[in-house]
Amino acid sequence: MGSGPAPWRAAATAATTALLAAALLGCAGPDPSGTRPATAPAPAAPEKLCTDLIVHWAGVILEAGENPGDDDAGHLDYQSMGLSGGQNDILLAVLADARAEQRAKGPTAARELTAREAQRRCAERYRSGTPTGGPWQ
């Protein structure tokens, strides 16, 4: 075996970094008229960031399942995906439902269910603010 990370791990890490950066920082530029300085957008709400991460990684994992030779997500753990333990619990539950939906109704239905369930479960998780219990909870 060669040395260094597998190409899929580097691509997955880059995708996670880009997703997190876009969600947290946004894309603000200077005022087109040049009269006001650029302002930083507000960070994404925790439930929105959670939903975006779950939908992204569920899609990657479901797609890898459709192509058995592709194991891009098969060796990623929740921390390398940028998820907390609680977010990983949501991902696993959403994946279980999405896989059943995919078998019954196909990939489009599975993606739709993933988006709905991720939003519902993340909203529930963050309904009272950020969960406590440690930085990765």
XYZ file of all heavy atoms in Angstrom, residues 83-126:
335
model
N -18.771 15.993 12.238
C -20.009 15.845 13.009
C -19.717 15.676 14.489
O -18.692 15.105 14.872
C -20.791 14.606 12.540
C -21.189 14.555 11.072
C -21.830 13.213 10.765
C -22.122 15.694 10.725
N -20.649 16.122 15.308
C -20.594 15.827 16.732
C -21.180 14.434 16.941
O -21.774 13.853 16.024
C -21.404 16.852 17.520
O -22.787 16.697 17.251
N -21.059 13.929 18.149
C -21.658 12.625 18.457
C -23.164 12.638 18.246
O -23.744 11.702 17.698
N -23.813 13.716 18.688
C -25.265 13.831 18.512
C -25.664 13.933 17.057
O -26.666 13.351 16.624
N -24.887 14.679 16.277
C -25.163 14.772 14.841
C -24.953 13.424 14.157
O -25.687 13.063 13.239
C -24.290 15.856 14.204
C -24.658 17.248 14.642
C -23.618 18.271 14.263
O -22.454 17.950 14.038
N -24.025 19.526 14.217
N -23.964 12.667 14.621
C -23.743 11.341 14.067
C -24.933 10.430 14.360
O -25.332 9.641 13.507
C -22.459 10.731 14.615
C -22.109 9.438 13.920
O -22.000 9.394 12.698
N -21.941 8.379 14.689
N -25.503 10.545 15.548
C -26.704 9.765 15.872
C -27.832 10.096 14.897
O -28.546 9.206 14.424
C -27.162 10.028 17.309
C -26.187 9.516 18.348
O -25.341 8.648 18.020
O -26.264 9.985 19.507
N -27.985 11.387 14.593
C -29.008 11.798 13.626
C -28.691 11.206 12.259
O -29.572 10.663 11.585
C -29.104 13.336 13.556
C -29.648 13.896 14.874
C -29.976 13.779 12.375
C -29.569 15.410 14.987
N -27.432 11.289 11.829
C -27.036 10.747 10.528
C -27.361 9.260 10.434
O -27.938 8.803 9.440
C -25.542 10.970 10.274
C -24.979 10.335 8.999
C -25.633 10.921 7.749
C -23.470 10.500 8.940
N -27.025 8.510 11.455
C -27.282 7.059 11.425
C -28.777 6.753 11.345
O -29.198 5.858 10.601
C -26.648 6.385 12.642
C -25.110 6.452 12.687
C -24.603 5.868 13.997
C -24.494 5.758 11.499
N -29.586 7.508 12.094
C -31.042 7.295 12.058
C -31.609 7.678 10.687
O -32.434 6.947 10.118
C -31.713 8.105 13.164
N -31.156 8.809 10.146
C -31.622 9.254 8.835
C -31.207 8.248 7.759
O -31.995 7.911 6.868
C -31.101 10.673 8.518
C -31.296 11.031 7.054
C -31.782 11.698 9.414
N -29.982 7.743 7.850
C -29.520 6.749 6.868
C -30.347 5.472 6.905
O -30.664 4.906 5.854
C -28.049 6.411 7.099
C -27.044 7.381 6.513
C -25.647 7.045 6.995
C -27.109 7.391 5.000
N -30.689 5.017 8.098
C -31.508 3.804 8.207
C -32.848 4.009 7.498
O -33.295 3.153 6.717
C -31.717 3.432 9.671
N -33.484 5.157 7.747
C -34.763 5.450 7.090
C -34.591 5.620 5.587
O -35.404 5.137 4.798
C -35.379 6.724 7.683
C -35.804 6.575 9.133
O -35.883 5.428 9.633
O -36.056 7.618 9.774
N -33.522 6.319 5.182
C -33.300 6.586 3.763
C -32.996 5.307 2.986
O -33.431 5.160 1.838
C -32.175 7.591 3.586
N -32.256 4.402 3.592
C -31.962 3.135 2.901
C -33.235 2.334 2.667
O -33.424 1.746 1.592
C -30.950 2.326 3.696
C -29.545 2.877 3.565
C -28.550 2.073 4.371
N -27.201 2.550 4.145
C -26.333 2.834 5.098
N -26.665 2.686 6.371
N -25.131 3.265 4.797
N -34.106 2.309 3.660
C -35.385 1.609 3.498
C -36.218 2.283 2.403
O -36.829 1.610 1.564
C -36.146 1.587 4.821
N -36.238 3.603 2.410
C -36.975 4.358 1.394
C -36.383 4.124 0.008
O -37.108 3.985 -0.972
C -36.943 5.846 1.745
C -37.807 6.707 0.869
C -39.285 6.654 1.217
O -39.688 5.878 2.109
O -40.050 7.387 0.582
N -35.064 4.047 -0.075
C -34.401 3.820 -1.356
C -34.762 2.442 -1.914
O -35.010 2.308 -3.109
C -32.893 3.950 -1.193
C -32.134 3.933 -2.487
C -30.683 4.353 -2.315
O -30.250 4.698 -1.227
N -29.941 4.331 -3.386
N -34.788 1.450 -1.044
C -35.176 0.103 -1.502
C -36.624 0.077 -1.975
O -36.949 -0.574 -2.960
C -34.970 -0.921 -0.390
C -33.528 -1.305 -0.156
C -33.390 -2.477 0.802
N -33.918 -2.182 2.124
C -33.236 -1.625 3.128
N -31.976 -1.295 2.950
N -33.804 -1.414 4.289
N -37.492 0.787 -1.269
C -38.914 0.754 -1.584
C -39.290 1.661 -2.762
O -40.098 1.276 -3.603
C -39.735 1.154 -0.354
N -38.707 2.859 -2.812
C -39.188 3.858 -3.771
C -38.119 4.482 -4.650
O -38.433 5.312 -5.491
C -39.921 4.968 -3.023
C -41.140 4.464 -2.278
C -41.844 5.591 -1.563
C -43.024 5.062 -0.776
N -43.639 6.124 0.028
N -36.850 4.143 -4.424
C -35.800 4.652 -5.290
C -35.003 5.792 -4.683
O -35.338 6.321 -3.622
N -33.929 6.192 -5.381
C -33.003 7.186 -4.850
C -33.597 8.588 -4.676
O -33.245 9.297 -3.745
C -31.844 7.201 -5.840
C -32.285 6.429 -7.020
C -33.469 5.614 -6.634
N -34.491 8.995 -5.563
C -35.076 10.332 -5.429
C -35.893 10.426 -4.147
O -35.778 11.402 -3.394
C -35.952 10.677 -6.651
O -35.129 10.631 -7.815
C -36.576 12.046 -6.519
N -36.693 9.419 -3.878
C -37.492 9.400 -2.643
C -36.588 9.366 -1.414
O -36.887 10.008 -0.398
C -38.438 8.205 -2.646
N -35.482 8.649 -1.508
C -34.542 8.581 -0.381
C -33.922 9.948 -0.111
O -33.779 10.354 1.044
C -33.456 7.545 -0.660
N -33.562 10.681 -1.159
C -32.991 12.024 -0.983
C -34.019 12.981 -0.371
O -33.678 13.799 0.494
C -32.471 12.568 -2.311
C -31.143 11.957 -2.725
C -30.541 12.678 -3.925
N -31.329 12.530 -5.136
C -31.233 11.499 -5.971
N -30.368 10.534 -5.730
N -31.981 11.433 -7.050
N -35.252 12.887 -0.816
C -36.305 13.745 -0.265
C -36.535 13.440 1.213
O -36.662 14.353 2.032
C -37.597 13.577 -1.060
C -37.508 14.150 -2.466
C -38.669 13.754 -3.363
O -39.564 12.997 -2.912
O -38.692 14.202 -4.518
N -36.585 12.153 1.544
C -36.749 11.762 2.945
C -35.558 12.240 3.777
O -35.740 12.734 4.890
C -36.891 10.244 3.061
C -37.045 9.744 4.481
C -38.151 8.713 4.578
C -35.752 9.187 5.027
N -34.364 12.129 3.238
C -33.162 12.570 3.946
C -33.269 14.052 4.303
O -33.001 14.440 5.441
C -31.909 12.311 3.090
O -31.771 10.912 2.889
C -30.661 12.851 3.752
N -33.658 14.869 3.350
C -33.767 16.313 3.601
C -34.815 16.604 4.669
O -34.565 17.402 5.588
C -34.109 17.040 2.306
N -35.977 15.964 4.569
C -37.054 16.180 5.559
C -36.637 15.753 6.943
O -36.800 16.479 7.922
C -38.299 15.379 5.166
C -39.234 16.029 4.218
C -40.572 15.297 4.145
N -40.518 13.853 4.199
C -40.356 13.051 3.144
N -40.200 13.569 1.937
N -40.334 11.743 3.295
N -36.117 14.531 7.038
C -35.761 13.982 8.348
C -34.576 14.706 8.978
O -34.544 14.906 10.185
C -35.474 12.482 8.241
C -36.718 11.643 8.176
C -37.580 11.813 9.417
O -37.112 11.531 10.540
O -38.738 12.241 9.260
N -33.599 15.086 8.164
C -32.455 15.822 8.700
C -32.932 17.144 9.291
O -32.543 17.518 10.400
C -31.407 16.060 7.617
N -33.790 17.844 8.568
C -34.281 19.119 9.068
C -35.092 18.920 10.351
O -34.904 19.641 11.331
C -35.130 19.831 8.028
C -35.462 21.233 8.494
C -36.743 21.778 7.933
O -37.484 21.094 7.238
N -37.019 23.013 8.260
N -35.970 17.949 10.361
C -36.815 17.697 11.533
C -35.971 17.321 12.748
O -36.123 17.891 13.833
C -37.817 16.585 11.241
C -38.790 16.320 12.396
C -39.697 15.137 12.106
N -39.009 13.858 12.120
C -38.645 13.208 13.225
N -38.860 13.735 14.413
N -38.036 12.038 13.145
N -35.060 16.387 12.560
C -34.252 15.906 13.684
C -33.265 16.972 14.183
O -33.027 17.085 15.378
C -33.530 14.620 13.300
C -34.481 13.441 13.130
C -33.770 12.234 12.540
N -34.680 11.173 12.214
C -34.870 10.088 12.963
N -34.217 9.931 14.091
N -35.722 9.162 12.581
N -32.691 17.745 13.274
C -31.766 18.805 13.696
C -32.527 19.920 14.413
O -32.039 20.464 15.412
C -30.985 19.343 12.509
S -29.731 18.188 11.884
N -33.700 20.272 13.923
C -34.513 21.291 14.603
C -34.855 20.821 16.017
O -34.783 21.608 16.974
C -35.781 21.585 13.810
N -35.196 19.564 16.165
C -35.506 19.009 17.487
C -34.275 19.060 18.394
O -34.354 19.430 19.551
C -36.000 17.571 17.349
C -36.232 16.849 18.649
C -37.392 17.400 19.473
O -38.267 18.075 18.909
O -37.410 17.140 20.689
N -33.132 18.703 17.851
C -31.907 18.689 18.648
C -31.527 20.077 19.146
O -31.045 20.238 20.256
C -30.761 18.102 17.829
C -29.429 18.135 18.570
C -28.420 17.226 17.930
N -27.140 17.332 18.569
C -26.819 16.810 19.755
N -27.727 16.132 20.427
N -25.618 16.958 20.272
N -31.735 21.088 18.318
C -31.307 22.443 18.662
C -32.473 23.343 19.089
O -32.312 24.548 19.156
C -30.554 23.064 17.482
C -29.235 22.377 17.235
C -29.116 21.373 16.278
C -28.124 22.693 17.997
C -27.909 20.717 16.074
C -26.916 22.048 17.798
C -26.816 21.064 16.838
O -25.620 20.419 16.647
